[in-house]
Amino acid sequence: MLKTQLSTILFVLLLSFTAKGQIESNIINAAHAYARAQINSDVEAILNFTHPGLIEQAGGREEMKKTWQKIYDNQQSKGIRLQEFRVKEPIQHTRSSGEIHALVPVVTTSKVPGGQLITETNLIAVSEEGNDRWYFLETTSIDERNVTKVLEKWDGSLILPFKKAPVFKEDKK
C-alpha cells in the first residue's frame, strides 16, 4: 500500500515537472520567434504576438499595425536598429484565472548613432491554459500599478522586476 502511494506521488511530481518544463520550452520558442520578428521589423508577425487587449485598446488590428510601423519608421529615421534580442533564464510563470502568465527576461542590443544601447528588460508572456499560442507585452511602460489595465486576469503573484537603465557602449574609433 505504501509503495503504491509513493509511486503515485512520484508519478504526479514527474508530470508536474514535465508540464513546467514544457511550458517554459513553449515560451522560449515563442519568444525566439517574437525576437526574429522584432529584429526583422516584421510588423505582421509582431501583430500575431501582440496581446489582443493591446490591439483592442489601440483601436483594432489596423490601428495597431500603423502604430508599430510608425515606431519602426521613427527608429529607422533616427539611425536606430535592433541587432540582437536574447532570451535569458530563468522564466517564472504562474496560472491565473485560466491564463498562464510568465516573466521572460531579455537583453536587447540596438545599434544607435555612435554606439550600441544594451537593455535588460522583461516581457510578459500570456497564454490561455491548454493553448500553445503566446502573446507578449513589453514591460517598458507597464508596472505593478497599471498591468491590470492590459491584463485583467493578472493576480500579482509574479512581481515585475525593477527597470534597469540601458547601457550605452560607444563605438571604438
Side-chain angles (χ1 to χ4, degrees), residues 73-86:
D73 291 346
N74 186 37
Q75 288 176 341
Q76 187 176 16
S77 73
K78 293 179 179 178
I80 301 170
R81 186 177 66 78
L82 184 62
Q83 293 179 307
E84 183 182 19
F85 194 115
R86 186 169 40 94

Side-chain angles (χ1 to χ4, degrees), residues 61-101:
R61 189 172 174 92
E62 281 307 309
E63 288 302 313
M64 183 58 112
K65 183 177 180 177
K66 289 177 193 174
T67 299
W68 276 114
Q69 195 59 56
K70 284 179 189 176
I71 290 169
Y72 286 116
D73 291 346
N74 186 37
Q75 288 176 341
Q76 187 176 16
S77 73
K78 293 179 179 178
I80 301 170
R81 186 177 66 78
L82 184 62
Q83 293 179 307
E84 183 182 19
F85 194 115
R86 186 169 40 94
V87 178
K88 293 175 46 178
E89 294 189 38
I91 294 173
Q92 301 173 43
H93 71 275
T94 189
R95 288 176 164 78
S96 178
S97 302
E99 290 183 344
I100 299 172
H101 298 159

